[in-house]
Amino acid sequence: MNLSPAEIISTFPSLRTIVDAYGLMAKKSLGQNFLLDANIPDKIIRLSLQKQNKTDYAEDFVYEVGPGPGGLTRAVLAHNPKKLTVVEMDSRCISIMEDIKEKIGSRLEIISGDALQQNFAEKDSSPRHIVSNLPYNISVPLLLNWLKQIKAYQSLTLMFQKEVAERITAPTGSKNYGRISVLAQLCCKIDWLMDLNPECFTPPPKIWSAVLLFRTLAERPSPKQIKNIEFLTNLAFSQRRKMIRQSLKQITNLSEKLQKANIDETFRAEQISPEQYLTLACLL
Ligand code: SAM
């Protein structure tokens, strides 16, 4: 009898049993805080699919960074992806994934290595989704890499430290508004899916976490525009307190360009909206 992935997963031992069986003590250096209550990853995937008006991943390729003991991995697999590719640096977690693969088969691909070295945009075909409870120390560089190739992805469902999630979603003019807010908001519609208190994790971190859903906008900046936006926001936000006519002074015909983009020369970096940065980026 052919069992569905969800039926196969329902026969797996609990995540806590797996952690004990593999002696998976969390390593701080790998940003390991595990979700061992399977209800939480299930809820994350359900909420994410619901927002996307989907019931499963049946036609889709999903990529997971850092599966750890496999809570999110199980939740994704239970929603029928065409293929789920996991990337993990910890050999103990790779063994756990190999055990899952033995039961689930070729629907699960395992890559042992550093997620920063992977380019999912070059693998498989659309639609692609990324799902991850991110290792916090590399969450922003990973997100930046994915945003630069955002056309390749339909959605990103990502858990961050709450403070990072607040920076990503910060409105123009707020104290948290910065480079990552500009780029993320120009590329994606971002929904705040849920907050998680430290007790949801083993071991509990010191901070709260939050899950964001990024859905790629039909009209998003081109790779060249993204490069220019990065150039501008680097200059502007590295001198946050300065007026924009000062921090961007190396740009030729700056006054004229600022006028065209409807940006007041006396504005500071955080007073300029993502759309105004994009307009200015198109004039470079
Ligand atoms: N997904 C699991 C969960 O929710 O319980 C584990 C999440 S834990 C916050 C982050 C995971 O990322 C760990 O399993 C860790 O080993 C892995 N990791 C850390 N750095 C990594 C890297 N550069 N590339 C791939 N995986 C990494």
Side-chain angles (χ1 to χ4, degrees):
M1 191 176 63
N2 265 352
L3 294 179
S4 69
E7 287 165 332
I8 299 171
I9 286 157
S10 69
T11 67
F12 289 180
S14 73
L15 290 162
R16 212 167 276 284
T17 309
I18 293 288
V19 163
D20 291 343
Y22 285 82
L24 189 59
M25 293 286 289
K27 285 186 187 165
K28 214 173 168 184
S29 61
L30 287 173
Q32 292 182 336
N33 298 101
F34 302 130
L35 287 169
L36 300 186
D37 173 354
N39 293 313
I40 299 173
D42 281 346
K43 186 169 171 194
I44 293 171
I45 298 303
R46 255 188 298 112
L47 283 176
S48 170
L49 285 169
Q50 236 170 46
K51 272 267 176 226
Q52 298 177 65
N53 290 323
K54 290 166 81 77
T55 48
D56 58 32
Y57 290 114
E59 298 301 318
D60 306 358
F61 292 93
V62 185
Y63 305 89
E64 185 190 359
V65 168
L72 267 174
T73 317
R74 292 179 184 200
V76 172
L77 285 170
H79 288 87
N80 262 340
K82 202 161 190 174
K83 194 173 89 186
L84 167 63
T85 302
V86 295
V87 183
E88 176 58 65
M89 274 187 88
D90 186 329
S91 58
R92 302 169 303 168
C93 305
I94 291 289
S95 305
I96 297 175
M97 291 300 116
E98 280 164 353
D99 277 358
I100 297 181
K101 190 176 169 69
E102 228 169 75
K103 293 173 189 113
I104 285 282
S106 59
R107 198 188 289 266
L108 178 63
E109 180 188 15
I110 304 167
I111 299 177
S112 174
D114 182 353
L116 283 167
Q117 306 301 324
Q118 302 296 319
N119 188 353
F120 303 141
E122 285 175 352
K123 281 178 67 63
D124 311 307
S125 57
S126 297
R128 298 185 190 85
H129 304 263
I130 300 176
V131 168
S132 179
N133 169 8
L134 289 167
Y136 290 147
N137 49 341
I138 54 168
S139 63
V140 172
L142 282 170
L143 177 63
L144 277 173
N145 283 348
W146 297 329
L147 290 175
K148 284 179 197 164
Q149 293 184 292
I150 195 64
K151 190 172 128 206
Y153 304 106
Q154 194 168 86
S155 78
L156 317 173
T157 304
L158 305 175
M159 178 157 5
F160 297 92
Q161 287 175 273
K162 194 169 176 185
E163 165 257 317
V164 175
E166 282 165 350
R167 275 168 44 208
I168 292 167
T169 54
T172 309
S174 65
K175 75 173 189 333
N176 287 325
Y177 183 68
R179 290 172 51 201
I180 191 75
S181 341
V182 173
L183 201 57
Q185 293 172 29
L186 280 173
C187 292
C188 302
K189 169 161 174 40
I190 309 170
D191 289 292
W192 191 289
L193 289 188
M194 62 192 280
D195 290 325
L196 288 105
N197 75 48
E199 299 311 315
C200 297
F201 302 88
T202 305
K206 290 198 176 70
I207 35 79
W208 278 63
S209 303
V211 182
L212 301 181
L213 167 65
F214 301 75
R215 277 176 288 167
T216 306
L217 291 169
E219 277 197 36
R220 67 231 152 207
S222 67
K224 177 163 185 273
Q225 288 165 346
I226 289 182
K227 223 169 151 195
N228 287 348
I229 292 163
E230 283 202 292
F231 167 73
L232 288 173
T233 53
N234 254 334
L235 285 178
F237 284 99
S238 59
Q239 304 170 78
R240 256 186 120 94
R241 272 172 232 275
K242 287 198 178 150
M243 289 181 197
I244 209 75
R245 68 172 174 225
Q246 184 62 26
S247 55
L248 299 186
K249 67 175 184 222
Q250 61 171 270
I251 295 172
T252 49
N253 299 328
L254 178 64
S255 279
E256 196 185 307
K257 287 175 178 154
L258 288 173
Q259 215 169 22
K260 277 194 184 151
N262 211 6
I263 301 171
D264 192 315
E265 296 196 352
T266 64
F267 272 10
R268 291 177 167 78
E270 72 269 19
Q271 294 173 283
I272 300 169
S273 71
E275 293 71 24
Q276 286 175 314
Y277 276 112
L278 174 60
T279 309
L280 192 56
C282 293
L283 297 170
L284 296 186

